[in-house]
Amino acid sequence: MGMEEDILSGLVLELRRGTIVLSVLSQLYKPRYGYSLVQELEAKGMALDAGTLYPLLRRLEKQGLLMSEWETAGTKPRKYYILSDDGKRMFMLLKKEWNAIVLSMDNMMVVQEGGNEDEHTEQQ
Amino acid sequence: MNTQSSNNPEEQIDRYVYEVTRRLPEKQRKDISQELHSLIDDMVQDQFPEKDITVEDINIVLRQLGNPRDFANKYREKQQYLIGPEYYDMYFFILKIVLSAVLFGMVVAIVVGNLVSLPDNALTFVTDILAAAFSGVFQAFAWVTIIFAVLSRYGDSITGIHSIKTEMAKSKEWDPAYLPDVPAKNARIKKSEPIIGIIFGVIFLIFVNSAIQFIGIISITSNGTTIVPVFDPAAIREFLPLINIILIIGLVKELIRLFIGKYTLQMSFGIFVLSAISLVLTILVFTNPDIWNHNFVAELNSLFSMKEPANFDSAQLWSIVYRVFIGISIFGFAVETLSNFVRSIRYKVAPYIPKE
C-alpha cells in the first residue's frame, strides 16, 4: 500500500504544480506580504511552502506581472506584492485557460464514468 | 570556519539567511536577506506565540524551510554549470580513462627511470613516484575539465558537426527533415577502439615526456643497469614540443571518433587533415639526423663486448632506420585515410533496411 500512496502523492504534486501560479495571482488583487500569502493559500486549501513561494514571487515580479514595495511603517519591514496591470490581464487570460481545462477534463471524466456503469452506480 | 552551534536565536537566523544569500548574486542579497528575516520572524511568531524564543524553536522553523542550498537554488533562475548535464556522463567517462592512463603511465615511466639510474635511497624513489603521479593527475584533470567546460559553453557551435546539416544548427529550429540517418551497423565506430587509443596515447605521451632517454636497449646485470638510448638525449629534447603536438593530434583524432561515433565524410576529412599535419611533423622530426644516438652501435658493442664491424657507418644505419620509420608512417596514414573514406562512402549509400 505504501507504494501506491507514494505514487499518488507524486501524481498529486505534479497535478497541483501547474496551478500554483494561478492561485498566487488570484490572491494578489490586494497587496500581501509573502508569509500572509502562505497562510492565505493554506487556509484556502492550497498549501505551498515558503521555499517555493518566495522565489516564485520574485520571478513573477521580474516578468512584470507583480509589483512590490517594502513597507517599513509597521513593527518590522515587510515586502508587499500586488498584481500589476499586466498581471491582471495575464490572470484573466490564464483564468480563461483554466476554465477551458476544467470543462474539457469534466467532459472526459464524465464520459469515462458513463462507460463503466457499475462503478458509476457504486459512487452514487 | 566556526562550526560551533549558536546559543542565540537571532544569530541562528542570521546564519541560515547567510547560507542562502551567499549563494545568490550580489545585487539580490540585501533584498532577499531582509525578506527571509521577515519570513522567519513571521513563522516563529505564528508557531510560538507569546513565548520566549529559543534556538530550538528557531531550528524547528528552519527545518520547515529546508536546506539553505536548495532554497538558494530555487531563487536562482537558471542553473550555472561548469559541465552541462548533457556532457556530464561523457566527462566522467573520459576523466576516468585519462586519469587511470596517466597514473599508470607515470608509475611505469618512473619505475623504469629509477631502474636505470638507481636513486640514492628508496625514499626518494617513492616520493618521486608520488610527486609525479600527483602533478600528472592534477594536470590531466585540469585539462579534461577545461576541454569539457569549453564544450559545455560553446558545445552547440562546436558539435555542429553532430547535427550534420549546418543550416539547421544555425537556425536552431528543429525540423524532422534534418533527422540524421541511423548509422548502418558497420558504420558505427565501436567505443572501445577510440578508448583504447586514448589510453595508449596518454601513456605514450607521459612516457615520451618523462622517460624518452630510456627508449633503447636496457641491460640489467649484476654490475647495475645500463641503457643504450636510441635517441640523442639533448637533441630529442629540443624536438619534444613537436613530438607532443604529434601525440596530441593523435588524441584529438580519437576524441573525434569517440564523439561522432560513426564513419562520415566530414569526420574522415577532419581526420585526414589532422593526420596530414601529424605526418608532416613526423617527417620533420625524424629525418633530422641529430636526434639519433650516433654512438648507439659503439655503446652497444662495448656493452656486450663485441667488435665493431669494419667500415661501419653509423649515419648510414640511422638513415635506413628513419626511412623505414617514415615509410611505416606514410603507409599507416594512407591506410587510415583510405579506410575512413571508403567506409564513409559505402555506408552513406547503403540503402535503408527497415527493421522487422
Side-chain angles (χ1 to χ4, degrees):
Chain A
M1 264 305 136
M3 186 143 123
E4 196 177 293
E5 276 162 30
D6 283 353
I7 296 176
L8 178 67
S9 66
L11 291 175
V12 169
L13 201 73
E14 226 169 282
L15 194 58
R16 290 166 64 107
R17 195 175 298 148
T19 64
I20 292 174
V21 170
L22 193 56
S23 37
V24 168
L25 293 181
S26 75
Q27 299 305 304
L28 287 175
Y29 270 89
K30 63 174 191 176
R32 284 181 196 281
Y33 60 93
Y35 193 60
S36 77
L37 191 54
V38 171
Q39 287 173 314
E40 187 71 29
L41 287 170
E42 195 172 352
K44 290 182 171 160
M46 188 68 203
L48 191 60
D49 55 301
T52 307
L53 181 68
Y54 276 61
L56 175 66
L57 288 171
R58 206 161 262 278
R59 205 182 77 214
L60 293 173
E61 187 187 3
K62 205 174 171 192
Q63 289 173 334
L65 304 181
L66 300 180
M67 297 182 294
S68 75
E69 203 176 333
W70 277 99
E71 177 68 58
T72 44
T75 43
K76 59 186 161 199
R78 279 180 173 140
K79 196 179 188 182
Y80 279 82
Y81 287 93
I82 189 168
L83 282 179
S84 68
D85 288 346
D86 279 354
K88 284 176 190 162
R89 231 181 351 261
M90 191 58 76
F91 175 64
M92 296 314 289
L93 292 172
L94 271 181
K95 208 168 119 184
K96 242 186 242 170
E97 292 293 327
W98 170 254
N99 287 332
I101 291 171
V102 170
L103 201 67
S104 55
M105 288 308 293
D106 275 352
N107 272 336
M108 273 192 275
M109 291 196 276
V110 166
V111 169
Q112 220 255 323
E113 282 172 18
N116 192 339
E117 281 300 323
D118 290 350
E119 215 174 276
H120 193 57
T121 43
E122 240 177 55
Q123 275 177 359
Q124 287 179 337
Chain B
M1 195 185 198
N2 179 16
T3 49
Q4 257 184 324
S5 63
S6 151
N7 296 317
N8 180 339
E10 281 304 315
E11 190 195 339
Q12 190 69 351
I13 296 177
D14 283 343
R15 285 184 180 194
Y16 184 87
V17 171
Y18 176 73
E19 276 300 298
V20 177
T21 53
R22 76 182 175 90
R23 297 180 158 91
L24 297 172
E26 182 78 47
K27 58 174 188 244
Q28 291 179 14
R29 275 185 205 159
K30 201 177 153 226
D31 202 59
I32 290 178
S33 160
Q34 234 171 341
E35 183 173 277
L36 289 182
H37 270 109
S38 137
L39 165 70
I40 294 168
D41 264 7
D42 282 337
M43 288 174 82
V44 171
Q45 270 176 23
D46 190 40
Q47 291 175 40
F48 308 100
E50 292 158 36
K51 175 177 182 293
D52 278 341
I53 303 303
T54 65
V55 170
E56 198 31 55
D57 298 337
I58 300 290
N59 286 347
I60 289 171
V61 167
L62 296 185
R63 271 184 214 111
Q64 291 164 6
L65 288 177
N67 192 326
R69 192 185 52 210
D70 297 338
F71 207 150
N73 277 339
K74 286 189 193 161
Y75 267 114
R76 265 201 300 265
E77 269 154 51
K78 66 171 189 196
Q79 296 284 344
Q80 294 287 317
Y81 297 110
L82 181 63
I83 313 284
E86 67 270 40
Y87 294 102
Y88 215 60
D89 289 346
M90 188 63 106
Y91 170 66
F92 268 108
F93 185 57
I94 298 285
L95 200 59
K96 270 188 253 172
I97 294 171
V98 172
L99 290 191
S100 24
V102 166
L103 213 55
F104 180 76
M106 282 287 178
V107 172
V108 169
I110 290 175
V111 168
V112 170
N114 278 282
L115 279 181
V116 174
S117 52
L118 277 175
D120 303 340
N121 56 49
L123 192 65
T124 38
F125 178 62
V126 172
T127 49
D128 271 6
I129 291 186
L130 288 180
F134 181 77
S135 87
V137 164
F138 186 77
Q139 282 217 20
F141 177 80
W143 280 111
V144 172
T145 305
I146 289 168
I147 289 171
F148 272 87
V150 170
L151 208 59
S152 282
R153 183 139 302 191
Y154 308 104
D156 281 353
S157 33
I158 294 173
T159 47
I161 343 163
H162 254 304
S163 55
I164 314 281
K165 307 268 178 186
T166 35
E167 59 268 53
M168 179 198 155
K170 268 182 225 150
S171 76
K172 296 240 175 182
E173 249 174 78
W174 185 81
D175 185 322
Y178 296 131
L179 277 175
D181 292 344
V182 176
K185 231 187 172 125
N186 297 328
R188 292 179 200 159
I189 298 170
K190 267 192 244 133
K191 274 200 170 153
S192 54
E193 291 173 22
I195 288 167
I196 291 170
I198 291 170
I199 293 173
F200 280 101
V202 171
I203 291 175
F204 200 61
L205 191 67
I206 290 161
F207 196 77
V208 161
N209 280 284
S210 53
I212 199 162
Q213 67 272 31
F214 303 127
I215 296 176
I217 302 218
I218 298 174
S219 127
I220 302 173
T221 63
S222 52
N223 298 333
T225 314
T226 329
I227 190 157
V228 181
V230 172
F231 299 108
D232 182 90
I236 196 79
R237 284 203 182 282
E238 276 176 42
F239 283 95
L240 260 188
L242 279 183
I243 295 173
N244 280 331
I245 292 174
I246 295 171
L247 292 175
I248 286 168
I249 288 177
L251 285 176
V252 170
K253 270 159 52 178
E254 297 297 350
L255 278 176
I256 291 176
R257 273 151 52 86
L258 186 62
F259 267 107
I260 296 187
K262 63 179 179 187
Y263 291 97
T264 68
L265 279 177
Q266 279 101 328
M267 185 206 78
S268 304
F269 184 73
I271 288 194
F272 162 74
V273 172
L274 289 174
S275 300
I277 296 171
S278 158
L279 183 66
V280 170
L281 293 177
T282 307
I283 293 173
L284 214 66
V285 172
F286 290 96
T287 50
N288 189 308
D290 295 342
I291 68 162
W292 306 99
N293 175 13
H294 288 281
N295 299 323
F296 184 75
V297 174
E299 285 175 25
L300 207 58
N301 285 337
S302 77
L303 187 62
F304 295 108
S305 15
M306 287 185 302
K307 273 241 167 77
E308 193 169 312
N311 61 40
F312 173 79
D313 182 1
S314 152
Q316 201 185 0
L317 168 77
W318 289 122
S319 85
I320 294 170
V321 168
Y322 84 66
R323 270 177 208 158
V324 170
F325 186 84
I326 285 165
I328 292 171
S329 302
I330 294 175
F331 181 71
F333 168 75
V335 168
E336 181 192 35
T337 305
L338 214 63
S339 117
N340 278 344
F341 276 106
V342 166
R343 287 193 206 200
S344 317
I345 293 165
R346 190 197 303 160
Y347 301 131
K348 195 183 163 75
V349 297
Y352 176 66
I353 304 153
K355 270 186 227 137
E356 285 308 313

